[in-house]
Amino acid sequence: MARDYYEILGLSKSASDSEIKSSYRKLAMKYHPDRNPGDKKAEEKFKEISESYEILKDPQKKAAYDQYGHAAFSQGGGGSPGGGFSGFGTGGFSDIFEDMFGMGSDQEEDLICWSDYDMIYLFLLSKLFLVTKSKFP
C-alpha cells in the first residue's frame, strides 16, 4: 500500500502551498542522491518525496488526490501518475532546481494555443490573397 503523500512530506492535509513547498525543499536537500552517494535508502526516500511533491504542488492533482487518494492516478491496476515514477518526469532535475530556487515560471501563462495562431494566420493569409488577386487579375 502506498504511503500518504502528506505523511511523506510530514504535513497535515490542511497544509498550505508554501508549507508543502518548504517541506519538500528541506527533505529534498536532505535526501538528495548527491548528498548521499551510494545510499539506496536515501535515493528511494528522495524519489518518494519528489513523487509526493509532484502531486501536491499541482492544484488539480492535489484536489484529485484529496478526493480519491492514490486511486486518482492508477490506471486499472495501480501505479503512480503517468504510469511510473514521476519524480523525474518530463522536467527531470531542472524542475527540482526551479522549484527550489524559484526559477520556474507559471506554466499556465506560458502555454500557447497554436490553433488560435493558426486561425489568425489563415485569416490574414486569405485576406492577403484576396487583396493580391483583386489588384492583379
Side-chain angles (χ1 to χ4, degrees), residues 11 16-28 53:
L11 300 167
S16 68
D17 291 343
S18 62
E19 290 172 318
I20 292 169
K21 190 173 198 174
S22 175
S23 178
Y24 166 73
R25 286 180 177 177
K26 287 176 189 173
L27 292 170
Y53 183 66

Side-chain angles (χ1 to χ4, degrees), residues 35 45 83 88 99 110 125 130:
R35 289 190 170 209
K45 183 77 172 165
F88 298 101
D99 290 335
D110 293 342
L125 189 61
L130 292 175

Side-chain angles (χ1 to χ4, degrees), residues 67 93 105 119:
Q67 187 169 3
F93 278 108
S105 62
M119 295 301 291

Side-chain angles (χ1 to χ4, degrees), residues 1-8 48 51-52 65 69-71 73-74 78-81:
M1 183 76 181
R3 285 182 57 204
D4 180 65
Y5 289 146
Y6 291 100
E7 179 185 320
I8 291 167
E48 193 176 45
E51 181 179 350
S52 300
Y65 177 74
H70 290 281
F73 307 105
S74 63
S80 61

Side-chain angles (χ1 to χ4, degrees), residues 6 55-69 72-73:
Y6 291 100
I55 299 301
L56 298 179
K57 77 174 184 177
D58 182 286
Q60 291 176 328
K61 290 179 184 177
K62 182 177 184 269
Y65 177 74
D66 288 346
Q67 187 169 3
Y68 301 108
F73 307 105

